[in-house]
Amino acid sequence: MPPPPDDPGSSSARTPLIPTPPPRRAVTRLHPLPLLVAAAFAASYHLLVAPSPSYYHSLLLSLGSNDTAAAHLRALTLRPHHAGTEANARAAAHVVSALSSLSFPARVAPYSVLLSYPIHRSLSLSAPGHATTPFALVQDTYPGDPYAAVSAEAVPTFLAYAASGSVAAEAVYANYGRPEDFAYLAARGVNVTGKVVLARYGKVYRGDIVMNARKAGAAAAVIYTDAKDYAAGKAFPYGPWMPPTGVQVGSTFKGSGDPTTPMWASSEGCERVSIAEAMATDDMPGIPALPVSGRDGEAILQLISGDVAPEDWQGGDGKPVRLGPGPAVLNLTYIGNETMVTIQNVISVIEGKEEPDRYIILGNHRDAWTFGAVDPNSGTAALLELAQRFSELQKKGWRPRRTIILCNWDAEEYGLVGSTEWVEENRAMLTSRTVAYLNVDSAVYGAGFYASATPQLDELLKEASKQVQNPDNETQSLYDLWMASASSSLIGRLGGGGSDYSAFVQHIGIPSVDISMGSEYPVYHSLYDDFVWMEKFGDPLFRRHVAVASMWGLIALRLSDEEILPFNYSTYALELENGAIDINGRLLGVPVSLSPLQNSIEEFKRAALQVDSELKALQTWKVWYPWRNNPLKVRDLNERLMMTERAFTDREGLSGRPWYKHLIYAPSLHDDYGAQVYPGVDDAIQMAERRNTSESWRSVQHEIYRIARVINQASLVLSGGLT
């Protein structure tokens, strides 16, 4: 572009022009009072005619389009689009095109990361007196399947990052594969060493199942979908339940992000550990493993003898289940290909007007194990439908006060890879500028509303849900639906490692939210998670997609548009207190003092009360003196509200798990899906209970002091004081 006229390099500067002076005329001096009145009138007129943020919030809710959501979902799920494939690149192009068509500039942020693909899989079953049974390890298409022709493009059933190898050994049944299940087997004298463990999906993360099997001495693991949990009714396409050959595929990696760049970003030219080193870490399963269907799992169980399993270990087919080992022998071979692949995050920025350096980030991932109609592209469809609404708001004159960033992550299914790499690469900017991260993974599983959040956002969630219509009952709000459900007494917490909020909350301490309609669906991670399943069972009218987008968008608008951030830390203080009560119950009779934690919580409660008083005073002041402005006061208060969550992080991270910096929320040590309050203390207590040494109990005390220190830091940030 040409330089401006007053630039020294411009033609105007090189050839100065001498203007002709204007003729003299009389000068009228204006009295300052009328000028002030005129300025005040102009300002008040602007306030009168300019729509308030609430106008745009109401407009957003009126613009929902189930047709738009359905069209995007159909386009995104035409074929399986596994991370690292050409089909997933085409899905990324669809997201870029959709955002660009709305005048939202969209760019691709690529990363080279280690992903895992199957090369060879085989599994057979034998037992004395029985012929050897080879398993096909194939998910059958269903009658009338419109996607039958492209189903072959789906990745073969496998568990990502499982170790390559061959094992032939007796089978042992281990229920859900939890530590307590293996402890029960040991107590019953069932030897797992060198055996192939058969466990059923449910209760804990599949990577924990395989890791627990390895720690118990197993040589390999097989995980199946039991009818009790996944086939309790008519199978798809006649009902929503898993067909007999359905298999839940997935990752077994317990870390977050690219395995070759632990703790740092996978940027161009970066340092990397070797693939062999990455595969040898404790975050990898370390033994061969395969997922199988319910039909194959039941066939294996029928040939396992030994003691009868407890009642709560029994499956859904009604046949008695035994523990083993043997005489059933499983011959398992898995050969994987761990290779560097380029993934693509899609990023789009809607720049804020008054505070462009403050970010509200909305994120959803795009990659799927198969067609991904529920997981994750119901969320992607909701994101694009919401973007359409933002575009309509812009046409009506809306510009957010703060910047809104729309993110579509890649390779989430492998271990939150795309979001983690982006957060690690942009850590300094994000920690200094991000107000909140709003996550939607699978927007729609079915009926019911579910939400999780860091506690300062609890009240905002409830308030927003009162404004969104229940998609299944026009006379109710989403709040009414929520409060009538079993989840009404609890907003979930974001300690689990199940979705892309993990890097934001657990690594850098960003206030966050995660929402969905429904909580579970039987065809999870299988070939049957397609558009037909969604259209028949998940959301036939696509009203639930619209409701999630409405809730997502309304929370985003309130965080981006309101002058004072709608955070409430009194809820956080209560959460910290309840967590301490739970810990106290576990420490009765042991030489550990909870006083440091209790004292720090009391200090945090005082800081929360102080900031509540400031908020009320400021709101009152703004009502009675709207023509006066104190932007520095507002900015200071917002900074404290925004940065308090960061103070709960510790640069050293959890003991033995340094990537997890947040000392209040992180995954449970034995279940990556499970959220744990005070995870460092929980880890230390579990260790002390096993060892029962003075040193191990001192470690518990140390972790209590660590938590007390970050809570004290959070109190200082929230109160805005220095010691």
Side-chain angles (χ1 to χ4, degrees), residues 35-50 626-629:
L35 285 176
L36 291 173
V37 173
F41 174 77
S44 62
Y45 176 79
H46 173 74
L47 290 172
L48 287 170
V49 299
W627 60 85
R628 296 181 61 187
N629 191 20

Side-chain angles (χ1 to χ4, degrees), residues 435-438 452-463 491 493 510-513 555 559 566-569 571-572:
V435 172
Y437 173 68
L438 312 178
S452 298
T454 48
Q456 73 275 68
L457 295 171
D458 285 4
E459 291 305 311
L460 175 58
L461 272 170
K462 292 176 183 177
E463 291 169 7
I491 294 177
R493 296 303 172 214
I510 303 291
S512 298
V513 163
I555 295 168
L559 289 167
F567 285 7
N568 184 335
Y569 276 96
T571 309
Y572 220 128

Side-chain angles (χ1 to χ4, degrees), residues 40 82 89 109 147 153 220 315 334 391 461 488 561:
H82 185 211
Y147 303 105
E153 297 176 15
Y334 174 73
S391 178
L461 272 170
S488 63
D561 290 346

Side-chain angles (χ1 to χ4, degrees), residues 87-100:
N88 199 37
R90 287 196 294 270
H94 175 86
V95 174
V96 170
S97 175
L99 292 171
S100 300

Side-chain angles (χ1 to χ4, degrees), residues 204-205 208 253-256 416 495-498 657 660 667-675:
V204 297
Y205 171 58
D208 288 295
F253 178 46
K254 277 184 60 73
S256 294
L416 319 177
R657 297 192 282 166
Y660 295 101
S668 167
L669 187 62
H670 298 294
D671 178 15
D672 198 60
Y673 287 155

Side-chain angles (χ1 to χ4, degrees), residues 50-106:
S52 67
S54 61
Y55 164 78
Y56 291 115
H57 300 177
S58 298
L59 182 58
L60 175 101
L61 298 178
S62 72
L63 292 171
S65 170
N66 35 0
D67 289 341
T68 299
H72 282 302
L73 186 64
R74 187 183 293 276
L76 288 161
T77 58
L78 289 174
R79 26 187 14 106
H81 49 286
H82 185 211
T85 64
E86 179 58 34
N88 199 37
R90 287 196 294 270
H94 175 86
V95 174
V96 170
S97 175
L99 292 171
S100 300
S101 70
L102 301 172
S103 300
F104 295 145

Side-chain angles (χ1 to χ4, degrees), residues 575-585 594 597-598 601 677-678:
E575 176 88 356
L576 297 174
E577 200 165 43
N578 289 338
I581 292 171
D582 291 341
I583 288 176
N584 188 56
L594 213 60
L597 177 57
Q598 292 167 334
I601 293 171
V677 180
Y678 301 143

Side-chain angles (χ1 to χ4, degrees), residues 9 131 168 175 211 328 386 422 452 530 627 698:
N175 196 23
M211 184 170 289
L386 178 57
W422 192 76
S452 298
D530 64 14
W627 60 85
R698 280 198 302 271

